[in-house]
Amino acid sequence: MTRKTPEQLRSHRWYGVDTLRSFGHRSRSAQMGYTRDDYVGKPVIAIINTWSDINPCHTHFKERVEEVKRGVWQAGGFPMELPAMTLSEPFQKPSTMMYRNFLAMEVEENLRSYPADGVVLMGGCDKTTPGLIMGATSMNLPALFMPAGPMLRGNWRGATLGSGSDVWKYWAELRAGTIAPEDWREIEEGIARSPGHCMTMGTASTMTSAAEALGLSLPGAASIPAADARHAAMAAACGRRIVEMVWQDLKPSDILSEGAFHNAVTTVLALGGSTNAIVHLVAMARRANVNLDLKIFDALARVTPLLANIRPAGEYLMEDFYYAGGLPALMAQLAPRLKLDCITANGFSLGANLAGATVFNPEVILPLERALVAQDSLAVLYGNLAPDGAVIKPPAALKRLHRHRGPAVVFQNYADMAARIDSPELVVDENSVLVLQNAGPLGGPGMPEWGQLPIPKKLLEKGVRDMVRISDARMSGTSYGACVLHVAPESYVGGPLALVEEGDEIELDIPARRLSLLVADGELERRRSAWVSPKPRYLRGYGALFAAHVTQANEGCDFDFLERGEPTPDPEIF
Ligand code: FES
């Protein structure tokens, strides 16, 4: 492997030459207390830190960034921390998804405009992982993803609580009157007990695991709980490794092959990962010039067993998964289905990284013959209601709903749904199909996680806990139920979902991968001509940029101008 010389470092243009401008770069570095020995001829490592006071999943990043820096110094590099948008899932409105592309742009432009030779990406809370990776992929400097790690298990009166999943569960019980408001208050205080991201197999655990399966993290990194001392050690190891990656010039374009995405999709399926991963992986693949069609997810789902016994599909949580051997142990079980020759960030192949990985608890990481679900943990549906596709997690839905036909109960938007869902006047029964319109990439906007529509209160009281729900929204990875998501094209742009009217018959047939609106073509045509495009929601600012350029769910919801075109050159004027 050829190694770069100090003069070949990108940062050399800023620091290593004798020009008027480089005088400025060095004198201003001196102003910060550095001397030339600190940085000239050394890999400058950008550390993109998504810490903020409002991101509970990244509270430990103030310490972790110091550990990454320690590793960079140890290996002879020069660390340069750059803060970036925090994307705090619980707080940011209307949805963090709307800002994923913003973070991606920020990462790319930060790296381009400053003297970075390589980058450590610090993220984990849902959209931070794809946002960081998308930006770094477009910039294509050596990049290593440092995952935030899951938080510890939640606890309430001795019962284990899981992020998200138990919120939905106990919220339904509260509305059904089976737990008291005091119980709900205690759950509020016991469900999130440490730094780290959600510890169920929600979007965060799914995406950090996907990043590792792609080869962008150190082996085993994604499973380490944030509060574990091994997590701090991993952060320092990231600092050391990225310096070497710069010398070796090991870039995302060397790692993010078609095989790497095959590995990521297979791993996500075996984990029972979040449906959000579909949108993100498609967007990440397009940045890497890899074609990742929805049909590939469906094809791999047909042959991939679900082995991680983690909520919401299973019983355990990420802390248990780590003790059971973590992601390398799970991936070792899948080895025959993976592309083992893919190169990863530590410079070794995936196969070499998985050698010796052991399952320590076969109740958490199940053997192939005892898979939680043998196949079809995900299904991609097509039909006249979703010409460009929709997705569902069959194991999360009641079996009797896998083939279902029922009348639509239509909500025109989230506010309409919130106002009427618990009304005693709502005409609905357990066979109805709840339809939510205007919750997609543009309609939400940002495709909020509204896809797990609540069960109407009067049905909850009758004991109903699942029914077919259809929307162009996403769903939290910790949610469950017969929820058809990501319907494309979305209703806001006039997709067929916009044409559904109260009482229309809808047919869901998961085995046949079909989603049909049983309304005559002529009538649909009549409705289509009468359909009026909604007024633009944003007339200025980022919202207007988002509305003008975001792509549909099946295309990854990236901005059209970010996923295509020739690479942007480095700044020329110094
Ligand atoms: Fe940050 Fe769930 S809220 S990962």
Side-chain angles (χ1 to χ4, degrees), residues 213-442:
L214 283 167
L216 292 172
S217 296
L218 295 180
S223 314
I224 308 172
D228 195 296
R230 293 305 86 203
H231 194 272
M234 180 272 291
C238 286
R240 288 190 295 274
R241 176 60 198 156
I242 188 65
V243 174
E244 191 55 22
M245 285 174 76
V246 169
W247 291 127
Q248 294 175 345
D249 201 24
L250 182 57
K251 300 186 294 296
S253 57
D254 302 312
I255 294 172
L256 295 177
S257 60
E258 207 174 305
F261 281 96
H262 169 99
N263 291 340
V265 174
T266 301
T267 302
V268 165
L269 291 165
L271 288 168
S274 160
T275 43
N276 284 329
I278 302 169
V279 181
H280 299 319
L281 283 169
V282 168
M284 289 155 68
R286 288 163 87 111
R287 292 288 187 112
N289 293 318
V290 169
N291 173 33
L292 188 60
D293 192 82
L294 289 188
K295 293 196 171 87
I296 296 174
F297 288 86
D298 194 73
L300 287 174
R302 289 174 192 265
V303 295
T304 307
L306 201 172
L307 300 179
N309 190 7
I310 303 176
R311 298 183 199 186
E315 215 182 310
Y316 295 92
L317 294 174
M318 286 301 286
E319 192 179 342
D320 308 297
F321 185 61
Y322 176 56
Y323 304 145
L327 194 65
L330 177 122
M331 290 181 75
Q333 307 273 94
L334 295 169
R337 294 170 164 81
L338 299 174
K339 311 285 184 194
L340 296 174
D341 55 348
C342 285
I343 193 78
T344 72
N346 70 350
F348 294 98
S349 68
L350 178 65
N353 290 341
L354 297 183
T358 307
V359 174
F360 299 114
N361 185 344
E363 296 311 309
V364 179
I365 301 175
L366 300 166
L368 291 171
E369 61 278 9
R370 280 201 293 122
L372 207 58
V373 180
Q375 62 187 101
D376 293 345
S377 59
L378 177 84
V380 179
L381 311 168
Y382 291 94
N384 70 343
L385 195 46
D388 293 335
V391 303
I392 188 167
K393 269 173 127 171
L398 277 184
K399 194 81 185 159
R400 76 167 182 86
L401 298 173
H402 285 207
R403 274 203 175 99
H404 181 79
R405 187 171 162 165
V409 175
V410 181
F411 301 102
Q412 287 176 358
N413 51 45
Y414 187 83
D416 179 31
M417 187 274 295
R420 294 196 292 126
I421 192 80
D422 286 341
S423 161
E425 271 80 60
L426 188 74
V427 181
V428 66
D429 66 25
E430 61 270 34
N431 293 318
S432 301
V433 174
L434 303 182
V435 172
L436 175 64
Q437 298 168 328
N438 294 311
L442 282 153

Side-chain angles (χ1 to χ4, degrees), residues 55-58 87-91 124-128 151 163-164 196-200 202-205 476 478:
N55 195 327
C57 306
H58 298 176
L87 304 190
S88 176
E89 192 65 31
F91 292 97
C125 190
D126 287 20
K127 316 302 179 289
T128 55
M151 67 177 98
S163 317
H197 60 67
C198 293
M199 74 323 228
T200 39
T203 304
S205 303
S476 163
T478 59

